[in-house]
């Protein structure tokens, strides 16, 4: 979710972090699995997984050995062929249901291909209404998703890896410091810095996920070691770190993040740790449940919720004797 994916899901923005009587139940079992290689008749590479407004997410994949891409609706239906996808491209879905592939250019699937101002695939993408916010390194741009017209540009205090919408219209962004470390910053709609950075990781580290709940709680994940064997999940409320949870068993996953109700979900997997979807209570930091994805280790990254928050889709590959197969696991 992409790891940028990154970005705030509509269902997250309609659900308070603190949960309550109306909080959705804990997701605790695999209810379906879609073999994406088999569905397309070739080995594929996952580029991104985007939430859809009317059901299960849509996967953006490419052929491992050919210049071809597809959009795969995980709710069923035939894949849609798209032109070859730049590595690092991301997928977002417009309010009218139009898929947008964001790479070196903006491709409105079934429509126009529009130039983008950052000279390459962005590191972070956020679509909010008709505004597409982009980051490549420290450079930021906001463009009209319909026309490609540039509305604003700015330079962040460090390379930006993730963007998410705040309830008041501002943006949250994760940045890496030149001397090492990970910060959370707040940006105005015209991409200007608003307030002081919040330190999430003091030294080293790499941001991997960012979500914002409807009450403005920011939830982020990051690797904290040079070997990427350990992770951290952090919540930030009113500019202050509220919860920090250390995560072990992260060396075979991109440590992407989803939030549903008062729970954060991450995949933990390592050579010594079976691949599991892990639920973490955002208030207490307690691990409240796991769902096994593989008998052993696996390589996982992208997570996205269904439109109603009733399921969560995780895409990755189990590492077993049959060889890797790109699979979408639906958790309910």
């Amino acid at each position: 979710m992409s790891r940028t994916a990154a970005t705030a899901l509509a269902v997250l923005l309609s659900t308070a972090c603190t949960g309550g009587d109306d909080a959705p139940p804990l997701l605790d079992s695999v209810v379906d699995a879609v073999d994406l290689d088999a569905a397309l008749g070739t080995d594929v590479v996952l580029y991104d997984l985007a939430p859809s407004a009317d059901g299960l997410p849509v996967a953006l994949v490419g052929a491992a050995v050919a210049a071809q891409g597809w959009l795969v609706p995980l709710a069923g239906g035939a894949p849609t062929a798209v032109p070859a996808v730049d590595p690092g491209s991301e997928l977002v879905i417009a309010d009218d249901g139009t898929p947008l592939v964001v790479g070196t250019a903006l491709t409105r699937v079934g429509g126009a291909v529009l130039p983008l101002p950052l000279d390459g695939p962005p590191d972070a993408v956020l679509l909010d209404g008709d505004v597409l916010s982009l980051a490549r390194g420290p450079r930021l741009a906001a463009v009209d998703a319909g026309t490609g017209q540039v509305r604003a540009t700015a330079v962040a205090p460090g390379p930006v890896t993730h963007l998410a919408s705040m309830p008041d219209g501002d943006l949250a962004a994760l940045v890496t410091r030149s001397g090492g470390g990970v910060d959370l910053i707040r940006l105005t709609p015209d991409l200007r810095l608003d307030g002081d950075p919040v330190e999430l990781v003091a030294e080293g580290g790499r941001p991997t996920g960012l979500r914002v709940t409807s009450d403005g709680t920011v939830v982020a994940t990051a690797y904290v070691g040079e070997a990427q064997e350990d992770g951290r999940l952090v919540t930030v409320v009113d500019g202050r770190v509220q919860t920090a949870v250390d995560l072990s068993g992260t060396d075979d996953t991109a440590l992407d993040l989803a939030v549903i109700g008062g729970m954060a979900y991450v995949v933990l997997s390592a050579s010594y740790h079976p691949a599991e979807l892990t639920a973490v209570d955002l208030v207490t930091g307690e691990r409240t449940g796991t769902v096994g994805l593989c008998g052993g280790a696996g390589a996982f990254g992208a997570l996205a919720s269904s439109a109603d928050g009733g399921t969560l889709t995780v895409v990755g590959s189990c590492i077993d004797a049959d060889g890797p197969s790109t699979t979408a696991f639906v958790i309910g």
Side-chain angles (χ1 to χ4, degrees):
M1 251 182 117
S2 104
R3 281 152 309 302
T4 62
T7 59
L9 309 182
V11 67
L12 310 183
L13 298 178
S14 64
T15 311
C17 169
T18 52
D21 294 339
D22 295 329
L26 185 69
L27 305 181
D28 59 7
S29 61
V30 177
V31 298
D32 195 12
V34 179
D35 185 329
L36 296 176
D37 294 331
L40 292 162
T42 186
D43 291 341
V44 300
V45 175
L46 176 74
Y47 291 111
D48 202 6
L49 185 68
S52 170
D54 58 0
L56 293 180
V58 177
L60 173 64
V61 303
V65 295
Q68 177 65 59
W70 295 272
L71 296 178
V72 184
L74 298 180
T80 299
V82 296
V85 177
D86 295 326
S89 294
E90 299 194 30
L91 174 68
V92 291
I93 311 278
D95 291 342
D96 65 1
T98 301
L100 309 178
V101 179
V102 187
T104 302
L106 169 61
T107 302
R108 298 181 63 85
V109 175
V113 177
L114 304 172
L116 290 175
L118 297 182
D119 303 319
D123 302 315
V125 175
L126 173 66
L127 179 64
D128 189 356
D130 63 351
V131 178
L132 188 68
S133 297
L134 311 168
R136 182 172 170 85
R139 297 169 59 200
L140 297 160
V143 305
D144 186 298
T147 66
Q149 179 181 1
V150 178
R151 295 187 176 185
T153 60
V155 178
V160 174
T161 61
H162 297 77
L163 293 165
S165 296
M166 300 291 290
D168 62 1
D170 279 0
L171 308 181
L174 297 182
V175 301
T176 54
R177 294 193 301 273
S178 59
V182 178
D183 288 338
L184 169 70
I185 63 172
R186 189 180 184 103
L187 302 169
T188 62
D190 61 354
L191 306 179
R192 305 304 169 184
L193 189 64
D194 184 6
D196 296 326
V198 179
E199 181 181 278
L200 305 184
V201 179
E203 298 178 358
R206 179 168 70 85
T208 61
L210 177 65
R211 299 289 185 264
V212 179
T213 67
S214 62
D215 66 358
T217 299
V218 179
V219 188
T221 48
Y223 288 118
V224 295
E226 293 298 327
Q228 298 186 359
E229 294 179 349
D230 297 292
R232 180 173 299 161
L233 185 149
V234 180
T235 64
V236 177
V237 178
D238 295 330
R240 296 177 181 272
V241 173
Q242 176 174 270
T243 307
V245 181
D246 290 329
L247 304 170
S248 60
T250 64
D251 63 342
D252 283 321
T253 176
L255 202 60
D256 198 3
L257 168 69
V259 177
I260 301 175
M263 294 293 167
Y265 292 89
V266 296
V267 175
L268 300 181
S269 177
S271 57
Y272 56 87
H273 190 293
E276 295 177 335
L277 179 71
T278 300
V280 178
D281 188 293
L282 289 176
V283 175
T284 67
E286 178 186 3
R287 299 190 192 189
T288 60
T290 60
V291 180
L293 301 173
C294 306
F300 286 82
L303 289 79
S305 170
S306 61
D308 62 2
T311 63
L312 180 66
T313 299
V314 186
V315 180
S317 299
C318 295
I319 301 171
D320 54 32
D322 296 329
S325 177
T326 304
T327 303
F329 295 87
V330 182
I331 316 298

